[in-house]
Amino acid sequence: MHSRHLDIKIPDDMRDAVISIIKRFRDRGYECYLIGGSVRDLILGNEIYDYDFATDALPEHIRRLFRKTIPTGIKHGTVSVLVDDHQFEITTYRSDGVYLDGRHPASVSYSAELRVDVERRDFTINGLAYDPLSGDVMDYVGGLRDIEDKIIRTIGDPVLRFMEDGLRPVRACRFAAKLNFAIDEDTFRAIPNTLDIVRKVSKERVRDELIKILESKKPSVGIEYLRTSGLLELFLPELAECHAISQNKYHIYDIYYHSIYSCDAAPKEDPMIRLAALLHDIGKVPTKQPGDDGDYTFYNHEVIGAKIAKKIMKRLKFSNEQIDAVNILILNHMFHYTDEWTDGAVRRFIRKVGLENIDNLFTLRMADRKGNGARKGLPAPIEHLKKRIERVIEQENAFSVRDLNINGYIIMDEFGLKQGPLIGKILNELLELVLDNPVLNERNVLIGRAREILERRKAENGD
Ligand code: ATP
Ligand code: MG
């Protein structure tokens, strides 16, 4: 027998909808089970994002059983149905034809047997089917045992299964991170032999898996599997290179381990901060130099690192918005706040980083510190800087040229100047003055200062 009775609780808000779908199929003489990730996560007590169903009913039959259906993946036998405002995917049992390109099956064929459907799936823990009416879990592939042992194992021969679809090795690392499971030895050993197939997978699919790793409880588990299997070298060679590159007396970890532990220490709710934490020191490899005292220095690594991160993210097809978010965090992660900062310095810091990015930058800095391993506790100066920033924002001060109580037209008028780069230069100098001393932000005062600036420039270079 392949079934085992388990006491599984479906959350109250979904229970009625799930049961009603299964009953509808049963009443018409069809089979229908909850399947895949949802069964795995129900057993583990994890949050469930999608409830997926498998049935022996053909897609056209599924569509007749429900009032609202969407043919989301009809080519592969998947129909979405809407029940109680929730959307569910229901897929006809199928086996996949041959994989010619290492990415997609050339064809799919429907089957009347659950077992056939289970065998096309990737890992044993994803191959369980659950009947909530009887409480039986159907397990043809040893998935229950592997959940108990916390093991990721392919269904069938790992080399063959990985050759079919090159995304599966990356998924193995993703599930290891998400569930904090180990990858079975044979499954793991198959990965280095299938890298040529993995290379064919679209960057978008890899990016999506990487984001899921970043959203898991401990990304370091997945990233370490990516590295030791050779996958990291394929997708993030710049990070793989950080391995075994030592730092200096302030660090106990090499650049790579510091990076992945910093990533763990950033909040899982924000994958872009996690990515920034993972890549924040990536510029340390090309900037490492012995300093005067014999210890290593990494001057300018934040600037070089921000550029490298941009290149990586472009390659992996992240959006421009995501690239900018990570870039600004890496570029600014090296600020050194001391009590000596003037209010003007605090304002310049706000302007450089952008008010909307400051909280994230502090979050990154905390993660960086936690990932250091040697330093403990919260960095007090950051708490202090936070308060200073709040105070500065409260005093309504000028932050950009647009907030000056003067503009380019007034300056052109006053001094008989034509439009051109000089006007912008004068406005920027005025802004610097106002940032240091907000009381200067008065029209007449600014005109006076503009005159001084003009005279100085004339004396300097005959502008
Ligand atoms: P998540 O919680 O991330 O959604 P999941 O297990 O539901 O995890 P999905 O990518 O949503 O993962 O896929 C649903 C199910 O489809 C999987 O549990 C697995 O049974 C099957 N599956 C998905 N992708 C593949 C693949 N590349 N090869 C084989 N089977 C797959
Ligand atoms: Mg899913």
Side-chain angles (χ1 to χ4, degrees), residues 36-37 40-41 50 52 120-122 126 165 168 171 174-175 178 205 212:
R40 175 197 73 219
D41 286 334
D50 327 290
D52 298 327
R120 74 168 170 92
R121 293 173 183 271
D122 49 6
N126 291 344
D165 178 355
R168 289 176 187 154
R171 282 172 63 85
R174 187 253 280 192
F175 286 117
K178 172 178 160 143
R205 288 177 85 198
K212 287 187 176 172

Side-chain angles (χ1 to χ4, degrees), residues 210-247:
L210 184 63
I211 291 176
K212 287 187 176 172
I213 290 177
L214 294 171
E215 286 169 337
S216 62
K217 194 156 173 245
K218 257 179 118 172
S220 60
V221 172
I223 298 165
E224 196 48 357
Y225 271 127
L226 289 177
R227 183 182 70 81
T228 50
S229 63
L231 291 167
L232 197 66
E233 182 63 40
L234 274 192
F235 302 116
L236 284 169
E238 298 89 346
L239 182 63
E241 239 180 86
C242 296
H243 186 259
I245 306 281
S246 65
Q247 304 201 60

Side-chain angles (χ1 to χ4, degrees), residues 286-353:
T287 56
K288 182 171 170 175
Q289 292 283 344
D292 293 340
D293 60 354
D295 209 353
Y296 290 104
T297 64
F298 306 93
Y299 291 125
N300 223 22
H301 76 267
E302 68 277 20
V303 176
I304 307 285
K307 281 198 189 123
I308 299 174
K310 202 170 196 170
K311 200 179 84 197
I312 293 172
M313 289 180 75
K314 273 205 173 135
R315 195 173 65 215
L316 289 173
K317 313 274 184 209
F318 281 89
S319 71
N320 287 336
E321 202 180 320
Q322 290 170 319
I323 293 174
D324 289 344
V326 170
N327 193 65
I328 202 135
L329 294 179
I330 297 180
L331 194 58
N332 289 293
H333 83 272
M334 289 297 289
F335 65 90
H336 289 291
Y337 175 74
T338 67
D339 287 347
E340 273 114 63
W341 278 29
T342 61
D343 279 356
V346 174
R347 284 189 203 98
R348 261 190 294 277
F349 175 75
I350 297 171
R351 198 156 55 101
K352 180 158 169 255
V353 177

Side-chain angles (χ1 to χ4, degrees), residues 432-448:
E432 290 299 320
L433 293 173
V434 172
L435 287 175
D436 280 326
N437 190 359
V439 299
L440 299 181
N441 197 10
E442 295 290 339
R443 181 182 158 134
N444 287 335
V445 178
L446 293 173
I447 288 176

Side-chain angles (χ1 to χ4, degrees), residues 35-38 40-41 47-50 52 89 94 96 99 103 117-118 120-123 125-128 155 161 164-168 171 174-175 178 205 209 212:
I35 194 124
S38 54
R40 175 197 73 219
D41 286 334
E47 203 175 327
I48 319 277
Y49 300 99
D50 327 290
D52 298 327
E89 294 203 336
R94 64 168 216 239
D96 295 337
Y99 286 72
R103 286 171 287 187
D117 187 76
V118 163
R120 74 168 170 92
R121 293 173 183 271
D122 49 6
F123 303 108
I125 59 167
N126 291 344
L128 297 166
I155 295 173
R161 299 310 310 281
E164 286 173 354
D165 178 355
L167 190 67
R168 289 176 187 154
R171 282 172 63 85
R174 187 253 280 192
F175 286 117
K178 172 178 160 143
R205 288 177 85 198
E209 292 299 324
K212 287 187 176 172

